[in-house]
Structures are given as structure tokens and as C-alpha cells.
Amino acid sequence: MTRIIFGKTALVTGGTGSIGNEITRQLLSMGADKVVVFSRDEIKHFILKKRIPDDRLETIVGDVRDYRSIKRAFEAYDFDLVYHAAAMKHVVVCDRFPIECARTNIHGTQNVVDLARSHGIERLITISTDKAAAPVNVMGASKLIAETITLNSNYTCVRFGNVANSRGSVIPVFIDNLLNGNPISITDPNATRFIIRIPDAVRLVIQSTQAAKGRDIFVLKMRAFRLGDLLDVILDCASEEMGISRGAAQIKEI
């Protein structure tokens, strides 16, 4: 698996996020010659460079929604691999701001894919979600379109379920609300979710890089859980580890 990465120059859009950060770490650990992180948050760039003090890591402040911005990155480096992780992913926020979601998840993906094709890049992996399968919200619909854009250009997609402990995901949100005394919102305790750890998710991305033939969608077999069961576990742990009574937690079914 290292063979496909060793000595290569890779672009990671959204590389300062939870998944992009781990992709960057694993690429460097596998001998990539250079990893370029492209993201719009300059503070996260600063933190990333402090956490990964590696001369092979380069960072570019920019936005995939701005074609000229991402174009400059492609012109500055001779990329062998592209990992497209930049996205709006929060379901509620995407529903409130559908145009902003479309600009990032759809138009941003089109920009990255168009530039990858024009620069003759053989492998591009778009990070997607299980919500792209029969979507029922704006985020899922936008990622389904992003998948279609990727596949139509003969590139590859990887679908994740709920990535444990990524920013904005269900576990840290539950815990944060519990610690701050805020109501814990849960859609339906019987709803089934699929969960994957960040390192496992990224290992799937790297494996997909090697196995990709074009127009692929890779999905890892993930463990399933009921939201109600997850909430019970978190409440039990909180009562033991943080001294928070189960009865003190406010549960709001939405």
C-alpha cells in the first residue's frame, strides 16, 4: 500500500479538518515526498504546522469555491494525488444555508475535479458520506451531486458513516451539551447510525487510492448502533466519570 504513496506529491483540500488532518499524517508516515494542505482557515493552518513539524508539509490558505484560488495551488505544485475533503458537513447548517452548502460541496468539487483533469492527475479521491445514499437533507443531496461529478470524471469516492469524535459529530456534541447543562437533542432513539474511527476511515481512503480504477465508490463495513443505546452509554459514563446524575440530563426528541 505504501508503494502508491511513497515519493508522491499530494493535495489535501480541507486538510485542516478532522479527516483531512489524519489523511495528511498518514500520507507523511507512508513516505509522501510532499503534502500540500489547502484550506480557508488560517488559524487551523498555524495549528497544523505546530502539530506536524515536518518540512514535507506545505499549507495554502484558499477556498475551493474560488476557482482562481484553487487553480493557483495546482499551478504551484505538480500533484500526483488529490484528496478532496473540503466540505460543509453539518446537516442542520446545510439545511439553513443551502446555497452556501451548494457552493462548497457542489461547485467546490467541480472546481477541484476540473483542475485535476486539466492537469492530468490520475487519482482523485472525494470524501463522501452515507447520507448521499437516498438523501433526505441538503447535505446528503449535495454530496450525492459531488459524487456524481467525481464519478463522471472517472475518479473515486469514499463514503463514511458517523466519524467518531470528528468535529460536530454526535458523540462530542452529546458530551458537550451534557457538560454544559444544555438539552441533548436526539432525532429518534431507534434510529440506526454507522460509526467509524478517524484512523480507520483514513486507512480506507489510502486503500482506495491503491484499488481505484475510476468511477468507484468504496464503503467500509461499519459497526451499527441505535442512537438511544449510544446516549445510554454516554449517560452511564458521565455519571461515573464526571459525577453528572442521569436524572439531571435533559433529553429532547426532535
Side-chain angles (χ1 to χ4, degrees):
M1 193 162 61
T2 303
R3 176 181 55 82
I4 199 70
I5 304 299
F6 187 82
K8 301 296 176 62
T9 298
L11 169 67
V12 184
T13 71
T16 56
S18 303
I19 294 297
N21 194 303
E22 182 65 20
I23 290 174
T24 299
R25 290 179 183 276
Q26 291 198 25
L27 291 174
L28 290 170
S29 72
M30 298 177 75
D33 185 63
K34 189 176 293 295
V35 178
V36 179
V37 166
F38 184 89
S39 173
R40 62 186 179 182
D41 191 324
E42 79 280 8
I43 300 301
K44 291 180 182 177
H45 280 276
F46 176 78
I47 294 171
L48 180 67
K49 291 287 283 186
K50 290 292 185 183
R51 289 179 175 172
I52 308 179
D54 193 312
D55 292 339
R56 295 171 296 157
L57 172 62
E58 300 282 351
T59 63
I60 298 176
V61 176
D63 194 335
V64 295
R65 307 188 332 175
D66 181 350
Y67 184 82
R68 290 176 297 178
S69 173
I70 186 68
K71 183 173 182 283
R72 285 193 289 269
F74 275 86
E75 292 174 343
Y77 297 91
D78 186 16
F79 295 121
D80 302 295
L81 306 166
V82 175
Y83 296 91
H84 179 41
M88 284 182 64
K89 66 175 186 177
H90 196 284
V91 170
V92 175
V93 175
C94 290
D95 279 348
R96 287 188 62 201
F97 304 101
I99 296 299
E100 297 303 316
C101 175
R103 286 173 177 166
T104 299
N105 294 359
I106 298 173
H107 296 293
T109 298
Q110 187 73 68
N111 288 340
V112 173
V113 166
D114 285 348
L115 285 162
R117 291 186 66 188
S118 67
H119 283 75
I121 292 171
E122 183 179 350
R123 284 180 169 83
L124 177 148
I125 311 292
T126 291
I127 307 303
S128 190
T129 169
D130 56 355
K131 296 178 182 65
V136 295
N137 51 53
V138 171
M139 194 276 274
S142 70
K143 294 300 280 185
L144 175 60
I145 297 172
E147 285 188 354
T148 304
I149 291 168
T150 302
L151 300 177
N152 284 350
S153 297
N154 205 39
Y155 289 130
T156 298
C157 299
V158 174
R159 283 182 181 172
F160 296 155
N162 187 78
V163 180
N165 293 325
S166 62
R167 282 192 293 269
S169 64
V170 63
I171 295 174
V173 168
F174 278 2
I175 293 174
D176 183 69
N177 286 339
L178 190 60
L179 289 173
N180 289 287
N182 297 323
I184 297 175
S185 295
I186 184 169
T187 51
D188 183 339
N190 291 314
T192 300
R193 298 292 301 276
F194 297 90
I195 196 163
I196 185 171
R197 297 181 304 169
I198 293 175
D200 294 334
V202 174
R203 274 193 289 272
L204 172 63
V205 172
I206 303 301
Q207 290 170 354
S208 300
T209 306
Q210 183 176 31
K213 296 180 180 178
R215 299 185 64 85
D216 319 285
I217 297 180
F218 291 93
V219 183
L220 187 70
K221 287 186 177 180
M222 293 168 280
R223 294 182 180 274
F225 64 92
R226 291 172 60 256
L227 280 177
D229 292 339
L230 173 66
L231 183 57
D232 284 341
V233 170
I234 290 175
L235 292 175
D236 287 341
C237 290
S239 61
E240 292 181 11
E241 301 293 331
M242 295 176 271
I244 299 174
S245 169
R246 284 186 63 113
Q250 304 175 58
I251 312 301
K252 180 182 178 183
E253 289 190 29
I254 59 174

